[in-house]
Amino acid sequence: MRHHHRLTPLLYLLPNLTGFAIFVLIPVAAAMALSFFRWDLFHPPKFVGLQNFSDLLGWRHDAEGALVFNDASFWKYLYNTLYLMLAIPITMFCSLVLAVLLNQKIPGRMFFRAVFYLPSICAGVGLLLLWKFLYNNDFGLINHLLAWVGITGPDWLNSYNWSKPALMIIMIWGGMGGTGMILYLAGLQGIPPELYEAAEMDGANVLHQFRHITIPMLAPTTFFIFITAVIGGFQGGFDMAYILTNGGPDGATTTISYYIYNHAFEYFNMGYAAALSLVLFALVLFVTILSWRFGRGATE
Amino acid sequence: MADEDPRGLSWLLAAIVAALIGGWFVVGPGADPPADPNRPLKLVLAVPASQSDEVHYRRVITRFEAEHPHIAVEFRSISGNYYQKLLIMMASGMPPDLVWMGEGFAEFASRGAFMDVGDRLERDIDTSDFLPQALQWYRINGRQLGAPFLIDVQFIIYNKKAFDEAGLPYPLDDWEYEEFLTDAQKLTVDRDGDGRVDQLGFYGQLDSSLFGAQFISNDGTHATCDTPQMLDYLQTNRDLFARYHVAPSPQQINGAGSDVYTIFRQGKAAMLRAYTWDMPFLREQCADMDWDITLNPKVRQRGQWASSAAILISSRTHHPQEAWELNRMFLSGDFQLRMCEKGGLPPNLSVARRMVAENTRKPANLRVLIKARDFLYAKPRIANVTELFRPFVDACDTVWMGTATPAQAMERAQRQINWLIERHRQRQE
């Protein structure tokens, strides 16, 4: 009987665990294993040891004797990925401001909450195509509006200097009213009103209350949003590069995830793509642990 | 309960993984099902989805099945990223018997994806009338992997009204760069005098084949980016938008995508670089316009960018002869004509001539496609061409952006491509 009781919950978990094993655990393990192989998907994988990692992270002397990375593109695309992640704090700040505003008892706040959340539920490809139209140098709305006020807009998606900020604007626009705003709203509603009442009695103005009550009380929420955004940031940029820029100009908008896709499905270097994925995983893990170690203290 | 016994969860997960892996070894790739003599033989044909083309494929299949009652053909119309899905089908050990191939041919062919049909082609098909380059495009490492049923060609489409308004004669098929540039300058117009160009002379860029330039050698052993021809190609195209202001930058052109038809229809460009696959859109969207087509102007030499489409047989098919019987039907003149009539050049000269003779729609000058046969240039058919092409594209971007001279950009591309070639060579050893 006792044995039966022990098995029952495991059997309930069986369907979920089977799905987890098929779609997550085994593919992840296979990708890890694959990073030690060379595989073009046509011939059997060939074990190459650490060759993929050496090609990816190693360096060599070029014809002039200068020390250069074996895969300089990887470092460039890692820089691009980190650059685009600068949108994270801006997005978080905008989410917080929106949440604070939409937490006020203003008329139509439910409507505004829905409006700001809309980009999160709309099809990403459709939105990106709209942005492509907006950024168009010939007939895009953004440069058209800028021209009205006497500014000659840049060729957003075709300029090395402007393409990354252009993508960041999309990220901020799409992210500020999304999950971050919802989580901040939930966090704001969890702050006991007595704290504000007490502060008000002590003469604290709105800014003081925000600085000394709202922000500290929202610290766990901020920490959670930050960690998930950083993880997403490292893995992000693929759809924008794929749809808007094809990774250009001159690789300015290629991120690590797009580079992985290219190696796997365009260049047929599946083992190298797996090694890239593993390095990306290590990076995400490292940054998450760092954030956890240094960020947790601030939330407690 | 599970909290009391977390090891139970781990054991269950381990058991599931073991069962799945064990099951995969039993039924996974390599375990071909035994042939059932009572079941009809089945061929699988995979092509990218397109409703209008599907009718033509199905017509051939119906005829084939009538002639071969013991063979059933499964037609798989694949939507979305065709090559990626095909790659996954091949990697999973379930390749279709016959597959459509276009620009992705070299990547698949260089990895042994297709069967050599050289002997069968020689035996069963009269190729004397066939465009020789088109056969050459499908020959890799001495193996003839098939032949195309359609050739796509790049050409220039022009707005007759714009030429009339500028008082220019329509371009002839044998025009040269100087005439092209003069026309493009006269056709670039600021109608309302606001300082902004309302009509560009040319919406496109001149193909590298016109300069005799190619980013890599034909055998794929070394980069050829730093040749005078390539530098000329880059400088000439940069001059078109940065010096003469008669064309947009190549990046703007790429970014415009299918909006180029709108640009042409709205009279914002007098000449447009177009391809045979654009023909249905041009006929539909520019029906009320007076337009025609011509060849590229001669620069250092004549040249027309070309691509092609073919049905090829997987090297892993279990039914090579039956697959070939179906494949040869896709090389028939009738199929070529049907597939090319909305846009494309039949590889058979007699079929191409028939198509032109029977054409009653725009463009009136469709015969230039036959003239183009003499100087078609396709992408090099070498392994890893997509990966090797990337540094070249990136370096070209720096020229278009004006952040590097052609010489600086190509020196960089040359170095990067040669390094990639060397790395691939080392990996092969």
Side-chain angles (χ1 to χ4, degrees):
Chain A
M1 191 64 184
R2 179 174 162 70
H3 186 67
H4 173 76
H5 277 292
R6 285 175 60 184
L7 267 183
T8 307
L10 295 179
L11 287 173
Y12 277 120
L13 285 169
L14 188 64
N16 184 280
L17 286 178
T18 306
F20 172 73
I22 291 174
F23 296 111
V24 180
L25 194 62
I26 293 176
V28 166
M32 285 182 175
L34 205 54
S35 63
F36 300 101
F37 287 81
R38 186 167 64 239
W39 188 34
D40 65 2
L41 293 127
F42 291 88
H43 302 99
K46 185 182 171 192
F47 183 73
V48 292
L50 294 172
Q51 181 72 51
N52 287 328
F53 294 97
S54 146
D55 286 347
L56 176 60
L57 303 170
W59 53 84
R60 68 184 198 281
H61 291 281
D62 67 5
E64 284 83 39
L67 209 56
V68 292
F69 287 117
N70 281 338
D71 187 350
S73 299
F74 167 74
W75 299 100
K76 179 177 178 176
Y77 303 151
L78 179 62
Y79 166 77
N80 290 345
T81 308
L82 295 171
Y83 189 113
L84 291 177
M85 283 168 68
L86 292 176
I88 291 173
I90 305 171
T91 309
M92 286 176 65
F93 176 74
C94 293
S95 293
L96 178 59
V97 171
L98 272 181
V100 170
L101 290 175
L102 295 175
N103 198 40
Q104 309 301 312
K105 291 190 174 73
I106 51 169
R109 67 176 177 161
M110 294 307 287
F111 169 76
F112 286 115
R113 283 178 186 178
V115 165
F116 281 110
Y117 195 67
L118 260 182
S120 303
I121 55 170
C122 290
V125 174
L127 289 176
L128 289 175
L129 288 173
L130 278 176
W131 273 102
K132 191 173 186 177
F133 181 74
L134 291 174
Y135 278 136
N136 190 292
N137 198 40
D138 292 324
F139 42 78
L141 189 64
I142 293 176
N143 279 0
H144 200 68
L145 292 175
L146 288 174
W148 272 2
V149 290
I151 299 171
T152 305
D155 188 359
W156 293 92
L157 298 175
N158 295 320
S159 153
Y160 196 87
N161 294 327
W162 283 101
S163 52
K164 276 194 278 282
L167 300 194
M168 287 170 69
I169 290 171
I170 300 176
M171 289 165 73
I172 293 165
W173 174 84
M176 67 182 183
T179 312
M181 183 191 77
I182 298 290
L183 288 171
Y184 272 132
L185 267 173
L188 285 169
Q189 285 161 19
I191 300 175
E194 301 84 52
L195 294 178
Y196 292 106
E197 288 163 13
E200 208 171 330
M201 286 173 68
D202 289 342
N205 62 23
V206 175
L207 279 178
H208 284 129
Q209 288 175 29
F210 185 73
R211 163 79 180 81
H212 296 288
I213 298 174
T214 308
I215 290 179
M217 292 301 284
L218 285 178
T221 310
T222 302
F223 180 64
F224 175 77
I225 295 172
F226 179 74
I227 290 281
T228 50
V230 165
I231 293 170
F234 271 112
Q235 299 168 344
F238 171 80
D239 45 359
M240 291 190 293
Y242 190 77
I243 293 163
L244 295 180
T245 60
N246 200 21
D250 189 18
T253 56
T254 299
T255 58
I256 295 293
S257 61
Y258 189 60
Y259 194 44
I260 291 171
Y261 168 83
N262 276 341
H263 266 290
F265 296 107
E266 297 287 329
Y267 310 155
F268 302 179
N269 297 328
M270 204 49 93
Y272 196 71
L276 271 165
S277 305
L278 204 59
V279 169
L280 177 64
F281 170 74
L283 267 172
V284 172
L285 190 68
F286 175 70
V287 173
T288 307
I289 289 170
L290 268 188
S291 309
W292 194 259
R293 178 151 295 181
F294 294 106
R296 198 170 51 172
T299 66
E300 285 170 352
Chain B
M1 202 66 175
D3 284 341
E4 290 171 22
D5 185 14
R7 276 199 311 168
L9 199 62
S10 310
W11 280 112
L12 180 64
L13 196 55
I16 291 169
V17 170
L20 288 169
I21 292 173
W24 183 78
F25 274 111
V26 173
V27 299
D32 285 332
D36 181 352
N38 298 320
R39 289 180 61 185
L41 191 152
K42 190 173 88 171
L43 292 174
V44 178
L45 166 66
V47 304
S50 160
Q51 273 188 325
S52 58
D53 288 350
E54 190 170 330
V55 176
H56 305 315
Y57 284 112
R58 289 202 182 277
R59 186 175 288 141
V60 170
I61 289 169
T62 306
R63 214 178 81 212
F64 176 80
E65 286 179 332
E67 288 176 18
H68 304 83
H70 65 293
I71 306 175
V73 179
E74 183 187 324
F75 180 75
R76 285 191 196 159
S77 177
I78 297 176
S79 58
N81 192 328
Y82 172 76
Y83 289 119
Q84 193 175 313
K85 289 177 181 173
L86 191 64
L87 184 66
I88 291 164
M89 288 160 91
M90 289 183 165
S92 61
M94 294 180 287
D97 298 282
L98 296 107
V99 296
W100 178 96
M101 269 290 132
E103 273 289 272
F105 167 75
E107 295 289 6
F108 285 79
S110 61
R111 290 172 172 86
F114 306 119
M115 192 178 91
D116 185 349
V117 295
D119 293 341
R120 290 181 168 94
L121 197 70
E122 204 173 315
R123 188 187 66 212
D124 298 337
I125 308 286
D126 176 15
T127 54
S128 60
D129 191 31
F130 222 81
L131 181 70
Q133 303 102 295
L135 285 175
Q136 189 64 38
W137 293 339
Y138 289 85
R139 192 172 294 139
I140 283 204
N141 300 328
R143 300 167 78 235
Q144 187 70 41
L145 304 175
F149 59 80
L150 173 148
I151 299 170
D152 274 309
V153 183
Q154 176 261 317
F155 52 83
I156 289 177
I157 173 174
Y158 61 92
N159 183 346
K160 285 184 166 182
K161 190 181 162 194
F163 273 77
D164 291 341
E165 284 174 354
L168 291 168
Y170 302 139
L172 300 172
D173 301 340
D174 58 351
W175 63 333
E176 304 210 349
Y177 175 70
E178 289 71 24
E179 295 170 80
F180 163 80
L181 182 60
T182 307
D183 283 4
Q185 285 175 310
K186 287 182 179 167
L187 290 163
T188 300
V189 186
D190 172 12
R191 290 199 180 96
D192 51 13
D194 66 349
R196 290 173 65 113
V197 170
D198 298 303
Q199 177 184 275
L200 279 166
F202 178 52
Y203 205 94
Q205 65 179 123
L206 297 169
D207 192 64
S208 57
S209 63
L210 293 164
F211 301 81
Q214 194 170 279
F215 84 100
I216 197 163
S217 61
N218 278 326
D219 58 4
T221 55
H222 60 281
T224 52
C225 298
D226 59 355
T227 59
Q229 292 91 332
M230 184 62 82
L231 302 185
D232 191 13
Y233 155 71
L234 291 166
Q235 191 60 56
T236 304
N237 274 299
R238 178 159 170 74
D239 285 348
L240 285 181
F241 69 89
R243 182 177 170 196
Y244 301 117
H245 310 289
V246 297
S249 74
Q251 294 164 304
Q252 284 174 276
I253 297 164
N254 292 336
S258 59
D259 294 327
V260 291
Y261 311 123
T262 312
I263 288 165
F264 184 69
R265 194 183 61 219
Q266 291 178 344
K268 291 179 178 170
M271 294 186 282
L272 178 74
R273 180 187 61 175
Y275 302 85
T276 39
W277 62 70
D278 293 325
M279 213 71 98
F281 303 100
L282 292 168
R283 282 173 176 149
E284 185 189 320
Q285 296 191 21
C286 306
D288 54 346
M289 285 176 69
D290 200 4
W291 57 271
D292 211 336
I293 63 172
T294 189
L295 297 179
N296 288 332
K298 179 185 173 189
V299 188
R300 279 180 175 239
Q301 61 178 50
R302 297 219 163 272
Q304 304 291 139
W305 180 94
S307 180
S308 59
I311 300 293
L312 305 177
I313 301 172
S314 165
S315 55
R316 288 159 75 178
T317 181
H318 296 299
H319 316 291
Q321 185 53 35
E322 291 82 357
W324 169 249
E325 293 299 331
L326 176 58
N327 192 5
R328 58 186 286 198
M329 284 190 164
F330 291 117
L331 292 172
S332 71
D334 184 53
F335 186 71
Q336 287 182 33
L337 195 63
R338 286 180 193 282
M339 294 299 279
C340 294
E341 63 187 3
K342 64 178 178 137
L345 176 66
N348 268 89
L349 182 58
S350 58
V351 180
R353 284 194 173 128
R354 194 177 133 203
M355 184 186 81
V356 170
E358 291 174 0
N359 178 53
T360 54
R361 300 173 294 171
K362 283 178 192 166
N365 198 21
L366 192 64
R367 64 181 175 78
V368 291
L369 296 184
I370 295 181
K371 274 194 178 178
R373 287 170 57 106
D374 297 334
F375 19 82
L376 297 179
Y377 289 90
K379 204 171 172 181
R381 313 302 238 203
I382 53 164
N384 310 306
V385 67
T386 315
E387 184 178 2
L388 299 174
F389 194 52
R390 184 76 208 201
F392 174 69
V393 173
D394 285 349
C396 286
D397 281 345
T398 62
V399 177
W400 310 143
M401 289 186 293
T403 55
T405 64
Q408 288 167 336
M410 290 302 107
E411 191 273 328
R412 186 187 99 177
Q414 183 85 0
R415 200 167 8 94
Q416 290 178 341
I417 294 169
N418 280 337
W419 160 243
L420 284 174
I421 292 170
E422 175 62 16
R423 198 165 77 174
H424 280 293
R425 195 187 56 75
Q426 286 171 0
R427 285 177 166 197
Q428 292 302 319
E429 285 171 355

